[in-house]
Amino acid sequence: MDGANTNAHVGLTSPGFIGADVCHLNLHKTFCIPHGRGGPGMGPIRVKKHLAPFLPSHPVIATGGIPAPEEAQPLGAISAAPWGSVLILPISYTYICMMGSAGLTDASKIAILNANYMAKHLEKHYPVLFRGVNGIVAHEFIIDLRGFKNTAGIEPEDVAKRLMDYGFHGPTIPWPVPGTLMIGPTESESKAEMDRFCDALISI
C-alpha cells in the first residue's frame, strides 16, 4: 500500500484494517513535512508478520528490528543511515502532539471534503478519474488532460507551467496516470484559495 499521503486514512482506518501486506508511511504532506519535489522522505515501513524476516538490516548499527538478525533473511542495508532523515522527525512529532487524535481525524475529514469540493467544481470542465461507487473521491483526485493532447497538442506539463502564471505550484504530474494532473488540496486550504485554483484551471 502506498502511504505517501494518508490524509484519507488517519483516524478513520489503517493499513492493517484495509489488509495491506506492506505499507510505507511517508511523513510528508500528512504529517506536516513539505513535499519538495522528491524530498525529504522519511517514515516507517510496516509489514505483516510473514514479511518481517525480509526487512532490511544494517551491518554496523543494530536497528532493533524483529525478528533478531540471526533469525532473519534480510536484504542487507538499503540506506547508509539506518533510520533515514531523522532530523525532520521532531516536526511531525510536534504536529501530531499539537493536533491530538481528534484533530488528526478532523484533518482527514476536511482533506476528503476539500478534494470532493474541488472535483465537483471542476467536473464540468475536466473528466475526473477513479470516483468511488457513490461518485466521490478520497483526499486527492485526478483530472484527465489526454483529450487536449489530441485536440491542441497540450501536455500536462503545459498546464502545470501555466498555473504558475496564476501563482500556483503545479500539482503532481503525470502520476499515477500519464496525461493527467493529481490534485490533493489537503486540510489546510481555504475555500477562497480552492476557488481561485479551480478558476485558474477553468480559465486555462
Side-chain angles (χ1 to χ4, degrees):
M1 177 179 167
D2 180 8
N5 183 347
T6 57
N7 273 32
H9 303 158
V10 177
L12 302 174
T13 186
S14 70
F17 180 79
I18 291 171
D21 287 321
V22 61
C23 175
H24 77 90
L25 178 60
N26 203 329
L27 299 178
H28 70 253
K29 294 184 278 190
T30 307
F31 294 104
C32 212
I33 300 300
H35 190 259
R37 286 296 183 208
M42 174 61 181
I45 297 174
R46 300 164 295 182
V47 301
K48 286 191 174 177
K49 191 180 294 185
H50 68 283
L51 295 176
F54 306 99
L55 288 173
S57 62
H58 197 277
V60 179
I61 300 170
T63 57
I66 299 173
E70 60 272 9
E71 299 170 11
Q73 304 168 49
L75 300 173
I78 60 169
S79 173
W83 296 288
S85 306
V86 295
L87 292 178
I88 65 174
L89 291 179
I91 298 169
S92 294
Y93 179 73
T94 302
Y95 173 76
I96 291 167
C97 290
M98 290 173 64
M99 293 288 283
S101 179
L104 291 170
T105 303
D106 285 345
S108 294
K109 292 176 180 178
I110 295 168
I112 295 168
L113 180 66
N114 286 351
N116 279 280
Y117 173 77
M118 291 181 72
K120 193 71 178 170
H121 198 79
L122 292 169
E123 68 182 3
K124 293 179 182 177
H125 306 277
Y126 296 91
V128 177
L129 304 182
F130 306 120
R131 293 178 184 262
V133 292
N134 295 318
I136 61 173
V137 298
H139 56 302
E140 298 169 320
F141 64 99
I142 298 171
I143 58 172
D144 192 349
L145 305 179
R146 290 174 288 191
F148 296 123
K149 182 174 183 178
N150 299 329
T151 59
I154 293 174
E155 299 282 357
E157 291 82 357
D158 300 316
V159 175
K161 289 176 182 177
R162 183 71 173 116
L163 279 169
M164 289 191 284
D165 295 331
Y166 291 84
F168 294 106
H169 192 283
T172 302
I173 56 170
W175 188 91
V177 180
T180 65
L181 296 181
M182 184 169 70
I183 301 166
T186 78
E187 74 285 355
S188 59
E189 298 296 345
S190 67
K191 181 180 179 297
E193 192 68 357
M194 290 189 290
D195 287 341
R196 196 170 76 84
F197 184 83
C198 289
D199 289 344
L201 277 173
I202 292 167
S203 175
I204 293 169

